[in-house]
Amino acid sequence: MQKFSRIFGYLKKHSGKIGLYFLCTILATLFGVISIGMLIPFFGLIFDTGAMPGGEEIRTNVLGSFISDTLVQIVAERGKIAGLTAICIFIISATILKNLFIYLSNRISVPVRAAIITELRSDLYNKILKLPIGYFTEKRKGDVISRMTNDISEIEGSVVGTMDGLIKDPLTVLGYLIFLVIISPQLSLFLLILLPVTGILIGRVSRTLKRQSQEAAIKLGEGLTILDETLGGLRVIKAFLLERLLRDRFHKVNDELFGVRKKMGARRDLAGPLTEVLGVMVLSTILYFGGRLVLEESSLEARELIAYIASFAMLINPAKNISSSFFNIQRGDAALKRVEEILKAPVIVDENIGGKELASFNSKIEFRDVSFMYGDTIILDSINLTIHKGKTVALVGSSGAGKSTLADLVPRFHDVTGGAVLIDGVNIMEYSLQSVRKQMSIVTQEPILFNDTIANNIRFGKEDATDEEIQEAARVANAHHFIVQKEQGYDTPIGDRGSKLSGGERQRLTIARALVKNPPILILDEATSSLDTESERLVQDAINNMMQNRTSIVIAHRLSTIRHADEIIVLQKGKIVERGTHDELIRQNGYYKKLVEMQEFK
């Protein structure tokens, strides 16, 4: 059960409720046994013609002395009809108490199960937020969403949902088994032999469920990935007539998922019938050998055999539930393994909560002999660079040269694998991660917005920003003019990923979001490369406004946007090959000049 240690860890938080649940379950089992046990004196009273004076024929060693003595006294004083009435009252009372405690146990267990899943889902989401950006470059978005939704639901229905059965049903079976042993140790010996055999047969049938469940989860993740790509690329799909290609791809995965789930369902649905058939076989064995004990050896009374059979019948449903739970556990184990893969993934970028506080940026950012590797691939090699406060440094180079990776080291989206990044002379890893990121804002090439209002999207840069601060940031970002023209102004919903806005409007909102934070350090990752000429001019003006009196790291695709940078760093294959101002680099007649000429920049 080591693989379910995380679930047990959540259970420990509710140990008090679990104790009450155990108590209610034990009491429910006890009263269930009593209600069945009352059949022995009932049949003794009805069929025993050789009654002893005082009703001694109803005394039995399988009931408590209090109940037996009470029944004997009632029969002796008031007759068999009164005894019959008392037995029926005992059965009804025991059944009421049994079901009352079952109800109470459910009232305790249901909130606990819901709390476990809530905590698991929260932990998974928190871990997703903590994991470095590089982790998700290897993962399909649909697969991550599948783990967050389908796998969590699978765990809820299979592992956590059956925890109830794995506690209640075994206790019920144990209680009735003890009762059966007390009635007839000889017959119970057959049970101790036959029940493990049935368990082995059920285990062999369910062995492949875990593998099939894992296959189903993978196929569902592939389907979600195709769906996500379809929703994000509808314009391209329709323009290039790719509907049939995407349809065939999705239907192939969907049909494969259907096939796996059909096989899983067939095996899962086999659990109940298989258990019932095996249970009837065991029951028939008991009837045969129990009948022989009554007829030949007289070591078992008929009334006790009837009670024994009735008690065994009460075992069948809990036993079926245990076998179904075992099947479900096998199915849920694969889902839990997929969720655990994320929960146990190493957080490479340490938050260093107890580290130094970077209260303000005062001097410079320094890359000292910095190297970075992703797997066995060298992305950056021996980078030495100093960015003084208030200066603008532009990073240029071909695609894959390492520009974005170099900029990502400053907010610690990645950590260096060699050398060090320093802020104000202190290794950036010695600061707490939050205090570092508070000193900077980022504007990316693709505008990342959320399905909320314009005001709230700007406010993401500063949670407690006032309306005046939001509007001022929008003005500096050249966004106020188009915002007030909207019917709802700053309260206008922008749709999924800002789909209700144009590209230029979305980018200006991200600039306003960066501005409202009022950071001393800016990182601009090709913020104008995907815009048309007019939008580029508006966004570039907004960027120029934003960069005033701030330290800026600019990743440039269009070299016209970084002509006035204080220093331009030219990267090629992870190395700095040229550096200087625009004019200095042009005079060097090197790689930078070739880039400029390719863009026909004069």
Side-chain angles (χ1 to χ4, degrees):
M1 299 299 284
Q2 181 66 29
K3 54 191 173 184
F4 300 114
S5 58
R6 186 174 297 275
I7 302 297
F8 294 140
Y10 293 128
L11 283 172
K12 286 181 182 179
K13 299 178 183 178
H14 306 278
S15 55
K17 292 181 179 179
I18 296 298
L20 285 174
Y21 174 78
F22 264 102
L23 178 61
C24 290
T25 301
I26 290 171
L27 289 173
T29 303
L30 175 63
F31 284 111
V33 170
I34 290 175
S35 66
I36 294 296
M38 294 304 297
L39 293 176
I40 295 177
F42 172 79
F43 287 114
L45 191 64
I46 294 296
F47 298 116
D48 196 341
T49 56
M52 295 171 60
E56 291 298 323
E57 74 280 358
I58 67 170
R59 187 182 299 279
T60 173
N61 62 350
V62 296
L63 289 177
S65 59
F66 171 76
I67 296 176
S68 296
D69 291 343
T70 301
L71 289 174
V72 168
Q73 185 177 355
I74 290 173
V75 172
E77 294 177 358
R78 302 183 185 178
K80 288 188 175 183
I81 299 300
L84 183 63
T85 304
I87 289 171
C88 292
I89 291 173
F90 270 119
I91 292 174
I92 292 171
S93 300
T95 303
I96 290 173
L97 289 171
K98 168 192 170 184
N99 286 280
L100 173 63
F101 285 111
I102 288 175
Y103 170 75
L104 291 175
S105 67
N106 289 335
R107 284 295 302 270
I108 294 169
S109 66
V110 170
V112 171
R113 293 202 307 265
I116 289 172
I117 291 301
T118 300
E119 292 168 16
L120 179 60
R121 188 179 287 113
S122 296
D123 287 350
L124 182 59
Y125 184 77
N126 292 340
K127 186 59 179 284
I128 288 172
L129 291 177
K130 285 184 178 180
L131 286 169
I133 292 174
Y135 177 84
F136 297 99
T137 59
E138 298 294 324
K139 298 290 182 182
R140 291 185 176 187
K141 188 188 299 183
D143 184 63
V144 176
I145 294 173
S146 174
R147 297 181 194 221
M148 188 73 181
T149 53
N150 179 70
D151 288 335
I152 291 288
S153 297
E154 192 73 35
I155 293 168
E156 181 176 10
S158 59
V159 179
V160 177
T162 54
M163 284 293 178
D164 191 19
L166 290 178
I167 296 173
K168 180 186 296 182
D169 293 318
L171 283 175
T172 303
V173 170
L174 179 62
Y176 282 108
L177 279 176
I178 292 172
F179 182 62
L180 293 176
V181 171
I182 292 173
I183 294 176
S184 175
Q186 292 171 286
L187 276 181
S188 301
L189 182 62
F190 288 106
L191 286 182
L192 296 177
I193 295 172
L194 294 174
L195 288 181
V197 173
T198 60
I200 292 171
L201 290 174
I202 291 171
R204 293 193 64 176
V205 172
S206 66
R207 191 170 297 168
T208 59
L209 267 179
K210 177 179 176 180
R211 176 180 54 79
Q212 291 174 339
S213 181
Q214 196 160 12
E215 288 178 9
I218 292 171
K219 293 301 177 185
L220 181 63
E222 291 177 4
L224 287 173
T225 297
I226 295 171
L227 176 61
D228 179 68
E229 291 173 345
T230 301
L231 294 175
L234 273 176
R235 188 183 300 272
V236 173
I237 291 170
K238 292 180 180 297
F240 288 89
L241 303 176
L242 298 175
E243 290 94 340
R244 177 179 293 180
L245 176 65
L246 270 296
R247 186 187 302 116
D248 291 345
R249 187 181 297 174
F250 181 82
H251 287 173
K252 180 177 181 292
V253 172
N254 203 34
D255 289 343
E256 289 173 351
L257 177 61
F258 168 72
V260 174
R261 284 189 165 173
K262 185 170 65 173
K263 293 177 183 177
M264 286 174 57
R267 288 190 175 272
R268 184 179 62 249
D269 295 339
L270 185 61
L274 178 63
T275 305
E276 187 167 343
V277 169
L278 292 173
V280 170
M281 292 173 65
V282 175
L283 177 60
S284 300
T285 305
I286 291 172
L287 284 173
Y288 175 75
F289 286 102
R292 291 190 61 173
L293 290 176
V294 172
L295 296 174
E296 295 180 356
E297 302 180 20
S298 299
S299 59
L300 185 68
E301 296 183 20
R303 61 183 180 176
E304 292 176 336
L305 177 59
I306 294 172
Y308 194 99
I309 293 170
S311 299
F312 180 78
M314 297 297 292
L315 280 176
I316 293 178
N317 276 337
K320 285 173 64 177
N321 293 339
I322 291 173
S323 64
S324 297
S325 298
F326 184 70
F327 274 65
N328 289 332
I329 287 287
Q330 291 296 319
R331 193 179 80 242
D333 183 28
L336 185 60
K337 184 178 180 181
R338 281 166 51 81
V339 171
E340 286 273 10
E341 186 180 319
I342 294 179
L343 290 172
K344 291 182 177 180
V347 180
I348 301 172
V349 178
D350 181 19
E351 294 190 15
N352 194 15
I353 297 174
K356 298 178 181 178
E357 286 293 311
L358 181 59
S360 61
F361 173 54
N362 302 312
S363 177
K364 62 184 178 180
I365 301 170
E366 184 180 357
F367 295 83
R368 186 179 296 172
D369 201 25
V370 165
S371 298
F372 179 78
M373 295 180 65
Y374 190 77
D376 296 329
T377 305
I378 298 175
I379 308 298
L380 297 172
D381 187 10
S382 302
I383 301 295
N384 288 282
L385 172 64
T386 300
I387 305 172
H388 293 280
K389 183 178 180 180
K391 300 297 183 180
T392 297
V393 171
L395 306 177
V396 301
S398 58
S399 178
K403 305 184 297 295
S404 295
T405 303
L406 183 61
D408 284 347
L409 295 177
V410 179
R412 289 190 64 201
F413 293 154
H414 311 288
D415 278 337
V416 299
T417 53
V421 179
L422 300 91
I423 296 182
D424 292 342
V426 178
N427 191 321
I428 197 172
M429 297 178 70
E430 295 182 20
Y431 293 117
S432 70
L433 185 61
Q434 284 198 359
S435 69
V436 170
R437 291 180 180 172
K438 282 180 181 178
Q439 301 301 317
M440 54 193 71
S441 282
I442 298 173
V443 179
T444 58
Q445 178 180 0
E446 179 186 357
I448 306 298
L449 296 172
F450 301 91
N451 196 347
D452 209 327
T453 63
I454 289 175
N456 284 341
N457 267 278
I458 297 175
R459 191 175 277 114
F460 280 130
K462 182 182 178 184
E463 291 184 15
D464 57 350
T466 64
D467 291 342
E468 291 75 19
E469 288 176 316
I470 289 173
Q471 291 178 22
E472 178 58 28
R475 286 190 180 93
V476 178
N478 285 338
H480 180 74
H481 179 68
F482 84 79
I483 293 173
V484 295
Q485 289 181 337
K486 303 287 184 183
E487 185 175 346
Q488 295 175 262
Y490 281 84
D491 294 324
T492 302
I494 64 172
D496 184 36
R497 302 181 185 179
S499 58
K500 295 182 180 180
L501 304 177
S502 70
E505 289 172 343
R506 290 199 296 269
Q507 194 62 286
R508 279 177 277 167
L509 276 192
T510 65
I511 292 172
R513 181 177 62 200
L515 279 167
V516 78
K517 188 177 179 180
N518 194 26
I521 301 171
L522 290 174
I523 299 174
L524 308 174
D525 189 352
E526 304 191 54
T528 64
S529 64
S530 60
L531 302 177
D532 58 77
T533 304
E534 183 179 357
S535 296
E536 180 187 359
R537 181 182 59 79
L538 291 170
V539 171
Q540 190 59 49
D541 288 344
I543 289 174
N544 292 337
N545 294 335
M546 180 172 61
M547 289 168 61
Q548 291 181 12
N549 302 317
R550 289 186 171 90
T551 306
S552 303
I553 301 173
V554 182
I555 300 171
H557 176 71
R558 297 185 182 180
L559 302 182
S560 59
T561 61
I562 48 94
R563 182 170 186 173
H564 302 293
D566 295 294
E567 186 176 20
I568 298 171
I569 304 298
V570 184
L571 290 167
Q572 193 172 11
K573 295 182 179 179
K575 290 180 175 289
I576 297 177
V577 294
E578 295 175 7
R579 61 197 310 166
T581 64
H582 169 75
D583 294 334
E584 290 171 348
L585 291 174
I586 291 294
R587 287 196 296 269
Q588 287 182 22
N589 197 27
Y591 185 68
Y592 177 78
K593 185 177 180 181
K594 290 181 182 178
L595 291 175
V596 173
E597 290 173 347
M598 281 191 289
Q599 294 189 13
E600 296 181 352
F601 174 63
K602 298 180 181 179

